[in-house]
Amino acid sequence: MSLETERLILRRWQDSDAEDLYKYASDPDVGPIAGWPVHKNVQESLGVIRYVFCGAEAYAVCLKQDNKAIGAIELKLNGNTDLTERDDECELGYWIGKPFWGQGLIPEAAKELIRHAFQDLGMRKVWCGYYDGNEKSRRVQEKCGFKYQWTTKDLYLPLMSEHRTGHVSCITKEEYESR
């Protein structure tokens, strides 16, 4: 399955995306701010495609012009998120390669996935979070209509072996429909 926006294709990850994933996920400005370590090689990126980006609603963010993966976006369904235990709620996660920052591509992709969550999947609420210092992620959430819910200090991030402060927001189906 794939979804489209004006400039993007959101499609399932493929093994052939490993080199493109590595190109952006090896940048120290991308993963660590989102809570995951830089990729060390293409094999590691391939493993992430096969074992992390394998959720039912995990998509490669691709420009329509070449269909190459430049980022990732996912609706984490119940069982794959610690923000909700409900089957009619999910968590949105995303990132994009540094050369594509500031172009409005992730808000564009996120708005399509939020639409998909409410209209196609029957969700009633979409959750999203970011860590202190990740202002770009906070701004994406604001642009998409998310409303702040809570802050948690001293969150342990096992992939980074460190503690951080996390902020959580959400958007309800009613809020989405009234926008």
Side-chain angles (χ1 to χ4, degrees), residues 64-165:
K64 278 186 174 177
Q65 61 205 38
D66 61 11
N67 201 24
K68 289 187 176 283
I70 60 169
I73 194 161
E74 179 175 11
L75 292 172
K76 299 174 184 179
L77 305 177
N78 189 15
N80 294 310
T81 174
D82 56 3
L83 293 181
T84 183
E85 294 181 0
R86 297 182 56 107
D87 289 333
D88 60 354
E89 297 180 5
C90 60
E91 177 186 355
L92 175 68
Y94 49 80
W95 66 266
I96 195 164
K98 192 173 180 180
F100 306 96
W101 289 3
Q103 299 176 35
L105 294 169
I106 283 297
E108 184 176 321
K111 287 174 183 175
E112 174 58 15
L113 225 53
I114 293 164
R115 182 212 60 77
H116 176 61
F118 292 133
Q119 293 181 3
D120 302 334
L121 302 178
M123 295 292 147
R124 69 175 200 92
K125 191 179 285 186
V126 178
W127 295 91
C128 200
Y130 69 93
Y131 300 114
D132 257 4
N134 193 344
E135 289 303 303
K136 289 175 181 24
S137 189
R138 182 186 63 76
R139 285 287 298 133
V140 167
Q141 292 172 42
E142 283 178 359
K143 290 175 184 177
C144 292
F146 283 85
K147 303 245 188 306
Y148 171 80
Q149 300 297 307
W150 71 78
T151 294
T152 305
K153 296 183 185 291
D154 204 36
L155 274 172
Y156 182 66
L157 279 69
L159 293 175
M160 299 299 291
S161 299
E162 64 187 37
H163 291 83
R164 292 195 190 165
T165 297

